[in-house]
């Protein structure tokens, strides 16, 4: 079992967040680096620039985005396993900048992490 959740980077940090990991490839607008209170900015696990630009947060593309992003994630097993092992030992909060709490890469990443054996 892993201890992980997702949260918008724009929300206030709290002690309950545990290890705070930003999983966006580009820095979120309007957030000062010192205010984000990150433990890690993990660009390696974020969707590729090409995939991010293609998706462009269009809800009708989300289902296909999930398929493509899962494929990218499964090609990065080393990083997935590192995050999963960390989340077995402590709470990990995956931070994202998207406005939509459901249709974003952090949600997909969390589901993939939970499904790994």
């Amino acid at each position: 079992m892993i201890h992980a959740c997702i949260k918008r980077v724009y929300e206030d940090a709290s002690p309950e967040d545990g290890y705070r990991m930003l999983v966006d490839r580009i820095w979120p607008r309007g957030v000062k680096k010192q205010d984000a209170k990150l433990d890690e900015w993990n660009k390696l696990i974020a969707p590729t620039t090409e995939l991010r630009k293609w998706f462009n947060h269009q809800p009708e593309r989300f289902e296909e985005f999930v398929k493509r992003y899962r494929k990218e994630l499964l090609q990065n097993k080393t990083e997935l396993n590192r995050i999963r092992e960390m989340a077995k030992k402590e709470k990990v909060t995956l931070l994202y900048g998207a406005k939509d709490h459901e249709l974003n890469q952090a949600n997909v990443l969390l589901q993939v992490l939970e499904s790994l054996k």
Side-chain angles (χ1 to χ4, degrees):
M1 183 174 147
I2 65 168
H3 308 285
C5 66
I6 65 169
K7 184 176 183 178
R8 280 193 85 210
V9 70
Y10 299 98
E11 296 176 47
D12 291 336
S14 73
E16 293 81 36
D17 291 344
Y19 191 88
R20 292 172 50 87
M21 180 185 298
L22 179 63
V23 295
D24 283 354
R25 191 165 295 272
I26 57 174
W27 190 259
R29 288 186 186 138
V31 176
K32 294 180 181 173
K33 290 190 179 179
Q34 65 270 21
D35 293 343
K37 296 182 174 56
L38 297 182
D39 293 298
E40 179 179 348
W41 180 10
N42 192 334
K43 298 177 200 175
L44 295 174
I45 207 69
T48 60
T49 299
E50 296 77 23
L51 181 56
R52 178 182 56 80
K53 286 181 177 182
W54 172 84
F55 172 47
N56 198 30
H57 299 286
Q58 296 179 32
E60 65 276 9
R61 291 186 175 176
F62 188 69
E63 191 174 325
E64 181 63 25
F65 169 79
V66 170
K67 290 176 189 173
R68 293 180 187 190
Y69 184 40
R70 280 179 182 268
K71 186 175 179 183
E72 287 183 2
L73 287 170
L74 294 174
Q75 292 173 352
N76 196 354
K77 284 275 194 164
T78 302
E79 196 59 23
L80 277 176
N81 288 332
R82 182 184 74 86
I83 297 167
R84 193 171 194 297
E85 288 304 312
M86 185 185 308
K88 286 180 179 179
K89 298 173 187 152
E90 66 179 308
K91 185 171 182 187
V92 174
T93 298
L94 305 171
L95 301 167
Y96 63 95
K99 291 178 184 174
D100 194 315
H101 186 70
E102 298 297 319
L103 308 181
N104 65 67
Q105 79 277 6
N107 217 350
V108 177
L109 174 57
L110 179 59
Q111 290 171 11
V112 169
L113 288 168
E114 289 174 339
S115 71
L116 290 176
K117 299 288 182 206

